[in-house]
Amino acid sequence: MSEIKPDKFIDTIGMKCPMPLIYFKKALSDMQPGQILEVVADDQTTKTTFNSFLKQSGDELVEIVEAEGLIHHFIKKK
């Protein structure tokens, strides 16, 4: 697993698009610049939907870790 220590964690396991993106955007909006958000999901579409959102928002995808069917997204708030 990643060495990154998130400031905030959200679990979207079992949720299907667009719910993980909605929760992700809400959590990120409540964070301070430079903080790290970890989102764990099992919906493969999060890899593309989160990436599309990040291109618009300017926030940074630091790392994606996939293990045991789960996707851990680590995002740095701009």
Side-chain angles (χ1 to χ4, degrees):
M1 190 55 69
S2 178
E3 298 288 324
I4 299 171
K5 301 294 181 215
D7 297 290
K8 189 170 191 173
F9 171 85
I10 60 171
D11 180 346
T12 66
I13 295 170
M15 296 181 193
K16 297 297 177 201
C17 189
M19 295 311 295
L21 181 61
I22 292 168
Y23 280 87
F24 159 61
K25 288 168 65 174
K26 170 67 173 123
L28 201 59
S29 72
D30 294 338
M31 296 177 69
Q32 298 298 314
Q35 288 187 314
I36 302 289
L37 170 64
E38 178 182 0
V39 182
V40 64
D42 58 355
D43 182 352
Q44 291 292 318
T45 64
T46 58
K47 291 187 283 188
T48 54
T49 57
F50 287 12
N51 194 37
S52 295
F53 171 77
L54 293 171
K55 286 180 183 176
Q56 294 174 358
S57 71
D59 300 299
E60 177 187 354
L61 177 62
V62 178
E63 184 176 14
I64 291 181
V65 177
E66 294 188 59
E68 299 177 16
L70 299 178
I71 309 156
H72 297 261
H73 304 263
F74 294 89
I75 298 104
K76 185 175 185 179
K77 172 79 174 181
K78 74 170 179 176

